[in-house]
Amino acid sequence: MTAQRVLDSYARESRRGDKRNLSIAGQHERNLQRIQDLGCVLGEKLQDKGKSAWQKGVVRPDWERMAERLEDGESDGVVIYDLERLMRSVEDALRIVKIAEHGLEKGFLVYDSDLEYDLTSPAGQAAFYNAAVAGAKYSHLLSGKVTRGNRQKALNGEGKRGRFRAFGFEDDSTTVRESEREHIRKVDRMIRLEGKTWGEAIAYLASQGIYSTGILHSKECTERKDALTPYQQKSYECDCPAPEWQPASLKTAMTAPRMAGYTTLGKQLIGRLPGEPILDPADWQDLRMFVSSRRGRPPMETALCAGDVPVHCANCTGILAIRDTAHGKTYRDAGAAFAKLAPNPDQVRRRYNCQHKKPTEIGSRGCGRVIADELVLDKLIGKMVIRELSSVETAKMLERKGKAKNKLREPIEKEIVRLEGIRDHWDNQLNAGAGGMTPERHTTLTDDINARIKSAQQRLSNIGEAPAVTVKAESKSAVTARWDAATSAEKRKMLRQAFGERTIYVVPGSSLELEPDVSLRIKSAPMQIPPNPQ
């Protein structure tokens, strides 16, 4: 008695939830019926969901598994629903035929919903190749149509739908969801103007009941939704929980071009969405620049004394970093004196440490030792800043330094303005299609200008920001009022302004010490003398 042939069932869906094609489950159902009609038995169900058959670089794990099973003789063939649409590359056909030629004594068959391809015969191979060529031709035509269609939609002001709903927009990715507009604008101000961290922005959104749009639906929910028509899906609701935003995903959502009302094709901005954009385009560009400039910088640097400010470790001259205390200890846990320091006694205590991984003036790395509690040190440094900025002597020193730095910065700033004007001219020509300007020519012309602008900006950075030129010292009450009303970023700026090229050194100690003890550890020079660079 001849053993029944084993046939695998292979299904593929080029895009998740694409209702123009038969679903994965539907393809397997048809394949299984075909296998039964042929008097064979099912081997394995193989499927690649959301995988393109023709796009280069796309890995299809189950297609590879199917080929390996044929190669190893674990199956006698495969049923593929609509071969012409699902195998859209001649390379795939060549691979399958080559496997067949190595197993001629056994042979195997390939079926689709209508035809049978006997790859042990020349006629079967020819028909198989013709199906692959037809599939490849269809793919190229479809790719061109999709690209043209996407471009026209973008030009018409239609947003492109992604896997998840775009933050701030309805499911069509074009209509603004008004209930989220003001909250998005609030997050923009928090990050760009108030010096808040992305973690604080996420906490604000959570307090308003706004969570990530990237909901990971359960298997049951996904199956229910896939069974619906596109019209029914518009009103579909489920109880799958929405997760809190993560800093990376919120940054991506906030800096998406659609936030400023732009429609895109690839990386190009080619149109505008209808209506008023969520973010003013200038504010959006400022946010993009802000996020890009801070890439890789830890959000802890919004703390007053952490990072690039004139407050260093007296032991090794290293810069300071901010850390949460172990086990989530709060200010209330540290006692009544510490509880009075914090606006919210139940917030987790944070402390300054010397940043261990950063190079220092006297060694290759920081010592990593504990410096002081964040609020205690911030309060002491704040008093020092107020004292310096209300001092007549400091005001005169800042005036001299401001004039000297402005004299150095002025010609460089004029050069940057001139170069940016030239670049804007080439940008306008490219956008208008004037003067035979092409993207390639534009790139050639602007690359050198961009390099010169970057070099000039680096020279400005080396000179440093010029302190505000103060004719006379402000009163202590005026400086105190300005300090109390300042954001974290503005306080850091005032700290740099007050001390300029001088540095405050803090001797390492306990994070449980209060102001009187910590003040004794503040020095004007490090404990060790840095080596002479000469």
Side-chain angles (χ1 to χ4, degrees), residues 72-97:
D72 296 340
E74 295 177 18
S75 72
D76 301 308
V78 61
V79 177
I80 304 177
Y81 180 80
D82 196 359
L83 177 74
E84 188 175 288
R85 286 181 52 78
L86 288 178
M87 189 178 63
R88 297 184 184 169
S89 107
V90 178
E91 288 81 1
D92 287 340
L94 287 171
R95 180 177 179 187
I96 297 299
V97 170

Side-chain angles (χ1 to χ4, degrees), residues 1 31 66 85 97 109 141 148 163 176 190 216 220 259 261 269 277 328 346 366 420 430-431 455-456 492 506 524:
M1 182 177 178
N31 291 351
M66 178 195 74
R85 286 181 52 78
V97 170
L109 305 177
L141 291 173
R148 290 193 297 274
R163 182 181 177 188
V176 173
M190 289 175 68
L216 299 176
E220 293 76 13
M259 287 292 184
L269 307 181
D346 293 315
E420 287 178 339
L430 178 64
N431 292 333
S455 174
R492 289 165 66 86
V506 187
S524 60

